[in-house]
Amino acid sequence: MNDIEEAITRAHHGEWARVVASLTRRFGDLDIAEEATAEAFATAVERWPGDGVPPNPGAWLTTTANRKAIDRIRRENKRDDKHKEARIVYDDTPPEPLGAIDDDRLRLIFTCCHPALAMEARLALTLRMVGGLTVPEIARAFLATESTVGQRITRAKAKISAARIPYRMPSAEDLPARVTGVLSVLFLVFNEGYLATGSDTEPVRQDLTTEAIRLTSLIRALLPEDGEVAGLLALMLLIEARRTARVSARGELVALDEQDRGAWDKALIAEGHQLVRERLAAGVAPGRYQILAAINAVHTSARDVRDTDWSQVLALYDQLVRLDASPVVALNRAIALAELDGPEVALAAVDRLEDKLAGYHAYHATRADLLRRLGRSRQSRAAYDKAIELAGNTAETAYLSRRRDQLG
């Protein structure tokens, strides 16, 4: 039974998006594709323990899902054009080889991440249709009610239908911007797992980081020449490599300079470094994710925090600022600046961001640390208090509280 359960889990991870995409192409309806695919997996749960795992699970699931979709069309009599229905129901075209469905999966991802949809709708729809997460799983991931998530998915599907959003690859002119939108969705999923925003959930959500990496790996396989896809995957891998060292046994966040580097995942680091090197060798100007991955490569290359090449980190942030002049990037640059030019210079840079980051807990946490290093304990305590007030992550709150309480 354990072997059967593992086979079903593997099939769910590997084949869900492929089956949904195949049915969407054939029937042109996300509702039909989703429901039929879910029914096919439910049938597998019932039959595989007795019948055994089929030699080609993906083909079995695709065939079963097609039959389920046809049954639903017959039951609901949704199509007025009986001839069209007959062509769908009695289609005897031989099934395509599984490898030919890859483009369908990519079309599905672009459809779910279409810019006409609100970001929360893109997140929910992508996790459901491409990732195969259930509505309760998505609701837990983003601290929303199941009804809210269900409504987001339903409305997103309705908008796709009403706006006639095409199930196809974007044009060559639109592709770069559309890929950027897809990566933004996946990065949001990863960030929520990397440092969960809610106070009533685990501080680090491995299920979300794993899912984001899996989906980004899928995009990487489908768009192997896209540098930013490779950059985002490398970034995720290098951050995920540090996961087991990021929270102490007491449930407290462990800062990068205090982490046990021996506990980092060496295989993930090697994979991330390899992707970074490949992008450097390509000789193409890097994008945002590639630079962020390079910064993390510098950090994960240092055996000890004292070995960190801060000049290289700062140079990379300078490069990033030219692409993304956001106040959060400027804040992170200031942290590197403190290591080279001292906390006083860095504090001046941070204070210039107050009007833009006053509601951001990391701004106050950074100020608190710089003020602590300058011996300005009273001001540091006030900054820690504000950071604790704004932080939602339990591990981060515990870390900030300890740092505050250590002040003289």
Side-chain angles (χ1 to χ4, degrees):
M1 284 300 296
N2 285 339
D3 290 343
I4 298 293
E5 290 172 2
E6 289 176 7
I8 292 173
T9 299
R10 284 196 304 271
H12 190 270
H13 284 166
E15 304 297 342
W16 173 275
R18 195 190 299 272
V19 178
V20 171
S22 174
L23 267 65
T24 302
R25 173 179 52 80
R26 179 175 178 186
F27 299 106
D29 189 306
L30 285 174
D31 273 325
I32 290 175
E34 177 193 2
E35 182 176 305
T37 302
E39 289 180 1
F41 276 94
T43 302
V45 171
E46 293 175 1
R47 292 178 51 182
W48 288 9
D51 298 348
V53 178
N56 190 331
W60 187 97
L61 288 162
T62 301
T63 299
T64 303
N66 271 285
R67 290 172 180 162
K68 299 290 184 182
I70 290 169
D71 289 343
R72 174 173 168 170
I73 292 170
R74 283 172 168 161
R75 284 196 312 268
E76 299 182 5
N77 193 25
K78 294 182 67 173
R79 306 191 186 274
D80 296 329
D81 185 344
K82 300 299 183 182
H83 296 292
K84 183 176 181 181
E85 179 181 344
R87 287 198 303 272
I88 292 174
V89 171
Y90 299 107
D91 181 13
D92 57 0
T93 303
E96 295 182 70
L98 286 180
I101 301 176
D102 287 348
D103 283 347
D104 289 329
R105 288 188 294 174
L106 196 54
R107 293 186 189 102
L108 179 64
I109 291 168
F110 279 111
T111 301
C112 292
C113 295
H114 196 279
L117 304 175
M119 181 57 76
E120 61 268 19
R122 294 185 222 173
L123 285 165
L125 195 62
T126 300
L127 288 175
R128 177 66 192 135
M129 304 302 292
V130 183
L133 273 67
T134 64
V135 169
E137 287 172 334
I138 300 169
R140 285 196 300 272
F142 291 96
L143 306 177
T145 65
E146 293 181 24
S147 61
T148 297
V149 170
Q151 288 169 6
R152 286 175 184 170
I153 293 173
T154 299
R155 289 170 184 165
K157 291 177 186 173
K159 185 160 189 174
I160 288 171
S161 177
R164 298 186 177 181
I165 292 173
Y167 174 66
R168 61 173 173 77
M169 284 286 292
S171 65
E173 297 78 22
D174 294 339
L175 186 59
R178 292 290 302 279
V179 170
T180 299
V182 171
L183 299 184
S184 296
V185 170
L186 297 178
F187 197 34
L188 282 173
V189 174
F190 182 84
N191 277 339
E192 181 58 30
Y194 162 71
L195 197 64
T197 55
S199 58
D200 57 350
T201 187
E202 290 294 319
V204 176
R205 294 287 309 278
Q206 184 185 0
D207 55 336
L208 287 182
T209 58
T210 300
E211 185 63 20
I213 290 171
R214 187 173 71 84
L215 293 179
T216 307
S217 298
L218 171 62
I219 300 290
R220 165 74 173 156
L222 300 176
L223 296 173
E225 302 303 318
D226 191 292
E228 280 294 80
V229 175
L232 180 58
L233 180 57
L235 176 62
M236 289 179 176
L237 292 171
L238 293 172
I239 294 174
E240 178 70 4
R242 307 196 300 265
R243 177 176 48 80
T244 57
R246 290 188 64 244
V247 178
S248 71
R250 300 188 304 275
E252 180 181 311
L253 189 72
V254 182
L256 180 62
D257 60 341
E258 297 177 339
Q259 289 178 13
D260 175 9
R261 299 187 175 217
W264 291 355
D265 189 317
K266 294 179 177 59
L268 291 182
I269 290 174
E271 188 177 353
H273 284 184
Q274 177 63 30
L275 285 169
V276 171
R277 286 194 296 270
E278 287 177 6
R279 294 314 309 163
L280 287 173
V284 179
R288 176 172 175 262
Y289 294 121
Q290 293 169 77
I291 297 173
L292 286 170
I295 291 169
N296 277 269
V298 175
H299 284 302
T300 50
S301 295
R303 295 184 179 181
D304 186 277
V305 66
R306 292 168 295 186
D307 300 328
T308 304
D309 187 345
W310 288 107
S311 60
Q312 188 176 2
V313 172
L314 186 62
L316 287 166
Y317 270 118
D318 287 340
Q319 192 174 358
L320 182 60
V321 166
R322 290 193 286 271
L323 295 178
D324 180 4
S326 70
V328 173
V329 171
L331 179 67
N332 290 327
R333 179 188 179 277
I335 295 171
L337 185 65
E339 300 300 324
L340 291 173
D341 295 343
E344 190 167 0
V345 174
L347 181 61
V350 170
D351 283 344
R352 289 194 289 270
L353 303 171
E354 181 178 10
D355 59 331
K356 298 176 181 176
L357 296 178
Y360 183 43
H361 77 279
Y363 164 76
H364 297 283
T366 302
R367 284 194 78 247
D369 183 63
L370 294 172
L371 289 163
R372 177 190 61 80
R373 292 167 64 178
L374 289 167
R376 295 158 62 176
S377 297
R378 182 179 300 177
Q379 292 172 287
S380 178
R381 181 179 297 275
Y384 274 123
D385 286 340
K386 188 63 177 178
I388 291 166
E389 176 189 334
L390 294 171
N393 186 279
T394 55
E396 196 166 17
T397 300
Y399 165 74
L400 293 170
S401 298
R402 177 175 64 82
R403 298 289 282 186
R404 179 197 59 190
D405 296 343
Q406 288 174 341
L407 289 169

